[in-house]
Amino acid sequence: MDTDDSRSARAALVAALDIVDAPPAERFERIVRIARDLFDVRFSYVNLLDDTLLHTLTPNVPGEAVAGPLEWSFCQLTAQRPGPTVIPDTAADPRTADLPGVASRGIRFYAGVPLTMPGDLAIGSLCLMDVEPREFSPQDEAALIDLGRWTEQALAKGLHHDRLLEVVEALAPQPVHVPGYRLAGISVPYGDVSGDVHDWTVADDAVTFTLADIMGKEQPAALLAAGLRAALRQHGDLDPVDAVAAVEPRTSEDLGRASAFATVFHSRLTPSTGRVDFVDAGHGLVLHLHADGTSVIRRSRDLPLGLHPEGVPFRSGSLVLEPGDTLIVASDGALDLGDGTIDTLTDIGQTLRRAPSTEAFLETVRLRAAEHAEDDVTVAVLARDAD
């Protein structure tokens, strides 16, 4: 029964999903494409219902209205009962004969299933419509119910995904001010969220600077990257080799369960001297640009987390950023910006040298990544000002 309380609760949940005004999402478009083909109907929709309006997430034709009064819709009936609602001839059914869809659009067949969230609250519908009356068999109803369950999972996944996206975006490092130095970076996910993470923190006498790349893409890699970032932050007061050694056992356990590994460049800058102490666990995509125009690629000497032999200590490295020097650290997706070889890292360094500013350089990276990359792309820059 569609009561005032249920309509209010439904409206609140639909608002929490925050997808009503978003562009059509492929996860829903795919479902309605399959529904149209499977049942050989003209139209199929994924709709959300609030207290007064029906909102379609999948308009079928250009310019189609994406919202309308709930009382004008067929799907108001679907929300009132748990199973499928099937109307073989809408013009012959007194519940629908006077609806605008029958008179103005010529809709003569309707079938829909409610979409429910936890608590069995119907917040929407997956429906089929056609311009000719037709029968709908029990097998058809069962198939429509299965598609409805798929749609519910897509809604729930979208809710979890949006929350994850908020968390991942919140993990982006905030701008910091270190006298005599510039820190900046950009991460361009191949999908919606990235398995790369870059980070920096500033203490009184040191700057911790990190870039990690989790094998894989999307949500699992993003979650592992977020966990690794948090673990390293907990040990920000340690030297890099000690910090990585401290997080390695638990991190490798998590990575092993996910059949993944992580390359990590974790460093600590002493601003007064320019000395950078670091651990490179399988990363190897570090370019030291010298003020005199030369450059050196710093390669890794250890295996990634998740592959590093148990009990074998990580090796520490160090370099000095002289005035005018810059350190570029990139994920392997950045190699897609060039020919895919390590020489691309040198080309990225030349692009930075030619750029009018670090911000302009990172915007170039973003544009190239969006056009060419087939993996997450992260590039971070640590530069020492010239005297």
Side-chain angles (χ1 to χ4, degrees):
M1 186 68 176
D2 205 22
T3 65
D4 289 342
D5 288 343
S6 66
R7 286 193 293 268
S8 297
R10 185 171 68 210
L13 187 50
V14 168
L17 286 169
D18 196 27
I19 56 175
V20 163
D21 295 323
E26 175 59 26
R27 64 181 184 268
F28 301 125
E29 294 282 354
R30 182 184 179 197
I31 293 171
V32 297
R33 285 199 302 268
I34 291 173
R36 287 195 297 264
D37 291 343
L38 179 62
F39 297 103
D40 192 23
V41 295
R42 185 78 61 88
F43 307 108
S44 178
Y45 297 94
V46 173
N47 301 317
L48 293 181
L49 318 175
D50 59 25
D51 51 349
T52 60
L53 295 175
L54 177 143
H55 309 270
T56 183
L57 305 183
T58 55
N60 282 210
V61 295
E64 185 174 11
V66 295
L70 185 58
E71 66 267 22
W72 290 3
S73 71
F74 300 98
C75 292
Q76 62 177 315
L77 304 173
T78 301
Q80 297 176 19
R81 59 191 305 269
T85 296
V86 179
I87 306 174
D89 186 348
T90 59
D93 192 306
R95 298 174 298 172
T96 56
D98 295 329
L99 291 179
V102 179
S104 64
R105 298 185 63 190
I107 300 300
R108 296 293 302 276
F109 167 79
Y110 172 87
V113 288
L115 305 176
T116 61
M117 288 285 103
D120 290 329
L121 179 65
I123 64 163
S125 62
L126 170 66
C127 69
L128 314 171
M129 299 183 191
D130 211 339
V131 295
E132 297 290 341
R134 58 177 290 176
E135 296 300 318
F136 208 63
S137 71
Q139 292 77 17
D140 290 333
E141 290 190 15
L144 184 58
I145 290 172
D146 288 341
L147 285 178
R149 300 298 81 79
W150 181 11
T151 309
E152 289 173 350
Q153 292 172 7
L155 281 169
K157 180 181 178 182
L159 179 60
H160 296 318
H161 170 270
D162 293 342
R163 287 176 176 169
L164 174 62
L165 190 58
E166 290 177 1
V167 171
V168 171
E169 289 176 345
L171 295 179
Q174 297 300 305
V176 295
H177 176 64
V178 181
Y181 293 84
R182 288 170 285 119
L183 292 94
I186 189 170
S187 188
V188 185
Y190 180 63
D192 290 333
V193 290
S194 175
D196 297 348
V197 62
H198 65 289
D199 192 34
W200 49 71
T201 57
V202 179
D204 293 338
D205 59 348
V207 177
T208 301
F209 179 77
T210 307
L211 194 149
D213 182 359
I214 308 294
M215 182 196 71
K217 303 181 181 69
E218 291 287 348
Q219 295 188 23
L223 289 170
L224 291 168
L228 177 57
R229 173 189 181 272
L232 287 171
R233 278 204 162 202
Q234 287 182 338
H235 298 284
D237 58 334
L238 300 180
D239 289 336
V241 68
D242 295 329
V244 172
V247 306
E248 191 271 338
R250 181 59 183 270
T251 299
S252 291
E253 181 182 335
D254 292 342
L255 291 166
R257 285 197 296 266
S259 300
F261 61 84
T263 67
V264 181
F265 178 83
H266 183 59
S267 66
R268 187 177 177 91
L269 163 71
T270 303
S272 59
T273 63
R275 180 184 172 96
V276 179
D277 295 295
F278 62 87
V279 171
D280 191 321
H283 198 74
L285 295 174
V286 181
L287 181 69
H288 186 175
L289 294 174
H290 296 287
D292 63 5
T294 61
S295 63
V296 175
I297 295 176
R298 300 275 179 168
R299 304 308 302 269
S300 174
R301 296 188 297 166
D302 285 318
L303 292 175
L305 302 188
L307 300 178
H308 195 79
E310 183 178 355
V312 176
F314 290 93
R315 286 174 282 191
S316 62
S318 66
L319 57 87
V320 176
L321 286 179
E322 301 288 352
D325 283 5
T326 298
L327 202 64
I328 298 176
V329 188
S331 64
D332 61 0
L335 301 182
D336 289 343
L337 307 185
D339 61 5
T341 70
I342 193 65
D343 292 337
T344 301
L345 195 58
T346 303
D347 294 339
I348 290 173
Q350 294 302 318
T351 300
L352 175 58
R353 289 190 189 276
R354 294 191 297 266
S357 65
T358 303
E359 292 74 18
F361 162 72
L362 293 176
E363 177 63 12
T364 299
V365 170
R366 185 187 69 79
L367 293 173
R368 287 186 181 177
E371 183 176 357
H372 299 292
E374 297 182 0
D375 196 358
D376 304 325
V377 174
T378 298
V379 176
V381 175
L382 171 59
R384 186 174 184 179
D385 295 339
D387 288 340

